[in-house]
Amino acid sequence: MEVFLIRLLQFMLAIGLLVLLHEAGHFFFAKLFGVRVDKFYLFFDPSIWKWKGSIFKYKPKNSDTQYGIGWLPLGGYCKIAGMIDESFDTEQMKQPEQPWEFRAKPAWQRLLIMIGGVLVNFLLALFIYSMILFYWGDTYVPVGDINMKFNEEAKSYGFRDGDVLVAADGKLFKDFSADLYRMLSEARDVEIVRNGKHEHVSLPGDLNLLNMLKSEPRFVEPFLPADVDSVLSGTPAESIGLEAGDKILSLNGRPIDSYNTFRYEIERLADLLAVAKTHEDSMKVRTVTLTFKGTQRDTLASAQTINGTEVPSQVAVAQYGAITKQVVLTEELKLGFMPRQLTSLYKPYTREYGFFESIPAGIKYGWNVLAGYVADMKYVFTAEGAKSLGGFGTIGSLFPPMWDWYMFWKMTAFLSIILAFMNILPIPALDGGHVLFLLYEIITRRKPSEQFMIRAEYVGFGILILLMVVANLNDILRWLGFM
C-alpha cells in the first residue's frame, strides 16, 4: 500500500505540474493578444446534480478569469472566449462576435495561442533534462563493459551469452536502454567482443522492436548472476534460510545459470498461475523446489575437533554446500530476495556538466527522446501495439517505489514530451486538430464553418474517450492476468 501511495503521489504531482504549465502556455498567448480567458482550471469540473464540480475556485477582482481545481483528475483546461473547445459552449458562439474573442483574432495569433501549451511542454522537458545533467550529471554503466545474455532468437543470428556489444553499423552503444534495442532493430552489422576478440554479427535491419522488448526472455539483457544480494524480512526466502551471498542453482529441477533465467522461470509460473481455477491449483504452482548454494556459510559451518585441530564438519559442508528446499511463493510469485545490481558488478561512469554545457546537452538528450518516441509510434497501429497501450496504472508504475527526485524529474520530463507530442497530433479536440484547421485557413484563406468545427470537436472527443478506455482496460486486464 505504501508503494502504491508513493507512486500515486509522484504521478499526481507530475501530471498536475505538466497540465498546469500546458494550460499556462495557452493562457499566456491568449492574454498577449488580448483574448479573454473565462476559466483556468487544473482538472475537469463536470457538474454533478446541483454541484458545479469545483473543489476550489477563485475570481480576482476586476478579472474576467475564474481560477479553480476540478474534481476529475483527467487533465485541465483553459476556456478561451469565442473558441470551440472541449467545453462545447455553443451558446457563446451564437452571440455576435466580440473584439476580445478568439474567433475575432487573425489566424496567426490563434495559431500561436493553440500551440502555446505544446511549446511550453516541449521547452519544459528540455529545461528539466538540462537541469538533471547540471545537478546530477549523466551516470551510466558503459555497454562496452557489460557481458550480455541473449534469447534464442538473438542466438539464431549468431550472438552468444557473454558477448559484449560494441557498435551497430559503426555507431557505438552507450548504455543499456531503449536506444540500444532501437539500434539493434535497425542494424545490419553489429560489432561484438567475444573471448577478447572483436567479431561481427549480421542482422536483417528490420527487427520488430516491440517483439524484442516484450519477448520473454528478452532479445538481450545484461547478464546478472543468480546471487543473493539481500533477503527481505518476512518473506519465503527468509523462511527457508536463504542468506546474502547464496547462489540459486535450480528451480523445480530446471538449472538456473543467471538471475535472468530465474526471472524467466518465474514468468513461466505466472502463466500457469493465470489459468489456475482452484486454490489447490494455485498452491501447486506456488509451491516450488529451490536448490541453492550457501557460499558464505561454508566457513561458518559447525566444526569438530580432530587431533586437537578444529575443522568443518563434513555433514555441515555437504548441507551448506547445496541446499534443496520446498517453499511456497507469495501470491505475486515473489521469493523475497534482491539480486546483485548492475552497478555492483560494473563501475558506473559519470559525466559532469557545467551550467552552460548542460543546456545544449539537455536539448540534444530531449530531442533524441522525442525522436525515439515518434519512431516507435508505428507499432501502436499493430495488434501487439494496441495491446501494449497503457493507461494511468501503467504510467504510474513507471515511477520508482521509493521517492527519488532524480527519477521523478526524469519521468516528468519524459511525460512532458509525450504530452507535447500527443497534443500536437491532428485529432480534433486536441491542440493539433485546431492547428490543422488553422493551417487550412491560412493556406486557403477560408475559415471552416462553426458547425463543422463543433462536429469535429465531438468526433475528436469521442476518439480520445475511446483511446482512454482501451488504454485503461488494458491495465485492468493485465492486473487480472488476462494479458
Side-chain angles (χ1 to χ4, degrees):
M1 189 62 177
E2 182 183 354
V3 169
F4 171 78
L5 291 175
I6 291 174
R7 281 181 166 152
L8 178 63
L9 183 59
Q10 292 180 87
F11 172 72
M12 294 296 292
L13 181 59
I15 292 298
L17 175 66
L18 296 180
V19 169
L20 194 66
L21 292 176
H22 176 91
E23 298 305 330
H26 295 306
F27 184 89
F28 170 78
F29 282 104
K31 288 295 187 180
L32 181 66
F33 299 129
V35 178
R36 194 177 77 185
V37 178
D38 295 326
K39 297 177 76 174
F40 184 92
Y41 263 65
L42 175 64
F43 306 147
F44 293 112
D45 60 332
S47 299
I48 303 177
W49 292 290
K50 295 182 180 180
W51 182 46
K52 295 299 183 181
S54 300
I55 296 175
F56 164 82
K57 61 181 178 180
Y58 171 70
K59 189 173 184 179
K61 189 177 181 180
N62 301 322
S63 173
D64 296 317
T65 307
Q66 181 188 97
Y67 302 89
I69 301 175
W71 65 270
L72 188 60
L74 297 180
Y77 69 98
C78 182
K79 189 176 184 303
I80 298 172
M83 174 183 167
I84 299 170
D85 58 12
E86 61 270 18
S87 67
F88 298 109
D89 187 359
T90 57
E91 290 301 316
Q92 185 186 60
M93 303 304 293
K94 294 176 182 178
Q95 304 302 318
E97 185 178 287
Q98 301 297 327
W100 34 261
E101 288 186 326
F102 178 82
R103 56 182 167 168
K105 300 300 178 180
W108 68 270
Q109 291 186 5
R110 285 181 278 137
L111 181 64
L112 286 174
I113 291 171
M114 292 317 306
I115 66 174
V118 168
L119 183 63
V120 166
N121 279 134
F122 184 61
L123 293 178
L124 175 66
L126 300 183
F127 174 76
I128 293 175
Y129 281 131
S130 298
M131 293 303 97
I132 286 174
L133 292 176
F134 171 64
Y135 189 82
W136 283 286
D138 187 12
T139 300
Y140 59 94
V141 176
V143 167
D145 294 343
I146 305 174
N147 295 108
M148 294 293 183
K149 187 170 179 62
F150 300 86
N151 68 8
E152 292 305 315
E153 181 191 4
K155 290 176 181 177
S156 71
Y157 292 113
F159 291 110
R160 297 291 178 267
D161 289 343
D163 287 350
V164 175
L165 297 174
V166 177
D169 293 333
K171 185 178 179 181
L172 294 175
F173 293 109
K174 179 190 172 187
D175 57 357
F176 183 75
S177 64
D179 285 340
L180 179 141
Y181 281 93
R182 197 172 290 113
M183 290 170 66
L184 286 173
S185 70
E186 300 169 354
R188 293 191 175 276
D189 177 78
V190 179
E191 183 181 354
I192 63 170
V193 173
R194 180 180 297 164
N195 299 324
K197 296 180 180 179
H198 284 260
E199 298 186 20
H200 291 263
V201 174
S202 296
L203 292 179
D206 59 352
L207 292 175
N208 187 295
L209 176 62
L210 194 60
N211 290 341
M212 294 172 71
L213 289 167
K214 290 189 66 177
S215 61
E216 282 294 340
R218 287 186 177 182
F219 189 88
V220 59
E221 288 181 317
F223 180 93
L224 295 175
D227 296 345
V228 178
D229 185 68
S230 60
V231 174
L232 305 179
S233 178
T235 61
E238 185 183 53
S239 70
I240 61 171
L242 202 66
E243 294 182 359
D246 290 354
K247 187 180 186 67
I248 308 296
L249 300 178
S250 71
L251 182 68
N252 287 340
R254 293 176 175 269
I256 301 296
D257 62 353
S258 64
Y259 181 71
N260 312 68
T261 304
F262 176 82
R263 194 177 62 219
Y264 172 62
E265 291 299 329
I266 294 295
E267 288 294 329
R268 291 178 68 254
L269 293 178
D271 293 339
L272 295 174
L273 189 62
V275 297
K277 296 181 179 180
T278 65
H279 176 70
E280 290 73 18
D281 292 338
S282 298
M283 287 300 296
K284 190 174 180 180
V285 174
R286 290 169 53 198
T287 304
V288 300
T289 302
L290 188 76
T291 300
F292 55 96
K293 182 178 176 62
T295 53
Q296 294 298 315
R297 287 171 291 183
D298 290 350
T299 57
L300 303 177
S302 58
Q304 60 181 336
T305 302
I306 300 177
N307 296 330
T309 303
E310 194 175 75
V311 297
S313 162
Q314 295 301 311
V315 174
V317 170
Q319 178 185 358
Y320 291 116
I323 305 168
T324 299
K325 288 193 176 183
Q326 253 192 3
V327 60
V328 178
L329 303 178
T330 67
E331 292 182 359
E332 296 80 23
L333 296 180
K334 302 292 185 184
L335 181 57
F337 77 95
M338 296 296 293
R340 294 182 64 188
Q341 300 299 305
L342 198 63
T343 50
S344 71
L345 298 169
Y346 304 98
K347 184 179 180 181
Y349 167 78
T350 299
R351 179 177 177 181
E352 296 182 350
Y353 291 86
F355 180 78
F356 293 106
E357 285 181 303
S358 68
I359 295 173
I363 292 173
K364 181 180 178 182
Y365 187 94
W367 185 258
N368 288 339
V369 170
L370 176 62
Y373 185 76
V374 173
D376 297 343
M377 282 297 292
K378 62 185 178 184
Y379 295 106
V380 173
F381 303 101
T382 65
E384 281 300 313
K387 292 179 182 178
S388 299
L389 287 175
F392 300 119
T394 297
I395 297 172
S397 67
L398 296 176
F399 287 93
M402 296 177 290
W403 196 278
D404 183 329
W405 282 111
Y406 170 78
M407 289 303 301
F408 170 80
W409 286 116
K410 198 168 184 178
M411 271 303 306
T412 301
F414 179 62
L415 292 177
S416 192
I417 279 184
I418 292 177
L419 187 61
F421 176 74
M422 296 301 292
N423 263 285
I424 205 63
L425 291 176
I427 299 174
L430 290 177
D431 297 343
H434 292 281
V435 168
L436 179 66
F437 295 135
L438 283 167
L439 290 175
Y440 168 82
E441 180 183 343
I442 291 171
I443 294 170
T444 65
R445 299 186 182 278
R446 294 176 57 190
K447 194 174 183 179
S449 70
E450 290 181 359
Q451 192 62 35
F452 171 81
M453 294 292 290
I454 290 171
R455 289 175 178 172
E457 195 77 11
Y458 275 113
V459 170
F461 198 73
I463 292 172
L464 295 181
I465 292 295
L466 178 62
L467 287 173
M468 189 178 297
V469 168
V470 170
N472 286 285
L473 181 60
N474 283 349
D475 282 352
I476 295 171
L477 291 174
R478 289 190 196 100
W479 181 66
L480 293 174
F482 292 109
M483 288 182 66

